[in-house]
Amino acid sequence: MRLNAASPLSSALMVLILFPLSLMAFSPSPLRYKSFVKDSALWISDPSGILEYRHDTRSVRTIVLSDSIDNDSIIDIAQNGQVLSVLSLSGVYQIDLATTTVEKLPGEKKGSRDQNGRLTVDDDYLWVALSDTLWRFDKLGREWFPFCIHGPGNLRAVYSNSANIFCVYSSSVKIFSTKDEKWLEFPNKKGVVISADARYFLDKNTLVFVDGPKIYRYLVATQSWDFLDAQAPIIDVLTQDTALFYLTGKDAFKYSTATSVTQPLNIPGINQAS
């Protein structure tokens, strides 16, 4: 595979290979960061903040959510088109990726400082799961609406495909129908337990959880689980169409989500991470 140096995939792969290696001496979990590609910019977020890297000018800038708030922390972040939606301790924000302007959404919500809160976005609504409540923000009406989550648990991720909201917990998935405004709950496949250390990534309609040496995948279309055992702790993951790239301490691999075939990438020099 030959990559153009300015292509979004090459930029993302560079982050996959180089960024985690540079962090390993300082952070126990490089998987804490998320990356988003838009045009000539790569956006990188972790709990401490958000960076924008432009590969056309090779410049880096820090995105400030609020000038009046100190010691803020990013809880969750999601992309929908040209907008990044951010859940932080100080509230919910939207960042225009074209202009880099930041807007704080109006309204306060019960449990908004919940460190275990999760956020997702679809074309019409922004959804925030906090404590025992799923909140819906109407982008047109600019209002929040609450829906009670019965039997709250240890939330790991939330995802919307517009028809349903999928709340993934450590041992089950709760599905909220946006049409009926009712909940259904399904236990995870036997042996699938998502720990608090697992990191969540979205691959189209597949929810990916990296948990130690294992990658758990929740397939939204079939409401089912599968998993891949890497046999070694995974330090970073990148999803691209039907391919999932992952990096261990010594090797990088490409996993086909269509065929379930794993191939080593054989990239020289990455065994320096061992």
Side-chain angles (χ1 to χ4, degrees):
M1 178 174 61
R2 185 175 180 179
L3 299 175
N4 186 309
S7 71
L9 178 57
S10 65
S11 295
L13 281 174
M14 185 182 301
V15 172
L16 170 70
I17 296 166
L18 299 179
F19 188 68
L21 299 184
S22 66
L23 287 181
M24 287 191 69
F26 306 101
S27 170
S29 180
L31 285 168
R32 289 175 65 85
Y33 82 89
K34 290 185 178 181
S35 62
F36 306 89
V37 178
K38 179 62 178 176
D39 299 329
S40 60
L42 177 67
W43 298 72
I44 301 172
S45 168
D46 75 358
S48 64
I50 302 170
L51 295 176
E52 179 202 20
Y53 170 72
R54 297 191 61 89
H55 55 71
D56 52 353
T57 61
R58 297 185 179 180
S59 60
V60 179
R61 61 174 296 202
T62 301
I63 304 299
V64 178
L65 296 178
S66 175
D67 293 324
S68 60
I69 299 173
D70 295 325
N71 301 319
D72 203 0
S73 180
I74 307 297
I75 299 173
D76 201 10
I77 187 168
Q79 181 180 7
N80 181 257
Q82 197 164 278
V83 175
L84 271 185
S85 298
V86 183
L87 173 64
S88 78
L89 287 179
S90 62
V92 181
Y93 297 82
Q94 289 187 325
I95 304 173
D96 188 312
L97 297 181
T99 63
T100 69
T101 55
V102 179
E103 175 198 9
K104 184 177 183 181
L105 298 187
E108 296 296 331
K109 298 162 296 307
K110 173 187 174 183
S112 60
R113 298 182 68 83
D114 181 4
Q115 290 276 15
N116 295 316
R118 295 294 183 267
L119 169 149
T120 188
V121 190
D122 55 43
D123 291 338
D124 298 313
Y125 303 107
L126 184 151
W127 302 85
V128 177
L130 296 170
S131 186
D132 58 355
T133 305
L134 176 67
W135 290 89
R136 183 184 72 193
F137 181 76
D138 188 328
K139 296 180 184 178
L140 186 61
R142 311 291 290 173
E143 292 183 280
W144 291 96
F145 297 90
F147 301 95
C148 180
I149 302 175
H150 299 287
N154 300 312
L155 185 64
R156 302 296 184 240
V158 60
Y159 168 72
S160 170
N161 66 356
S162 295
N164 295 294
I165 313 302
F166 298 81
C167 294
V168 181
Y169 291 83
S170 58
S171 58
S172 69
V173 179
K174 296 181 182 181
I175 303 176
F176 178 76
S177 168
T178 58
K179 179 181 179 180
D180 301 331
E181 297 185 354
K182 294 181 179 179
W183 290 93
L184 292 174
E185 183 171 7
F186 301 91
N188 290 348
K189 176 181 177 181
K190 185 177 180 180
V192 175
V193 179
I194 312 299
S195 80
D197 295 326
R199 297 301 166 187
Y200 163 63
F201 302 86
L202 176 63
D203 182 12
K204 292 188 176 179
N205 289 325
T206 301
L207 316 187
V208 180
F209 297 85
V210 180
D211 200 354
K214 294 184 178 180
I215 299 177
Y216 297 102
R217 299 168 63 246
Y218 181 77
L219 313 178
V220 171
T222 57
Q223 297 181 13
S224 61
W225 288 94
D226 68 13
F227 73 93
L228 167 70
D229 191 344
Q231 305 293 324
I234 298 167
I235 63 174
D236 201 14
V237 164
L238 165 70
T239 61
Q240 182 78 19
D241 296 326
T242 59
L244 188 151
F245 301 89
Y246 64 92
L247 181 69
T248 64
K250 293 186 177 181
D251 300 287
F253 299 88
K254 176 183 177 181
Y255 173 74
S256 170
T257 58
T259 64
S260 299
V261 174
T262 302
Q263 297 175 312
L265 292 180
N266 298 321
I267 300 174
I270 67 170
N271 60 359
Q272 61 185 296
S274 58

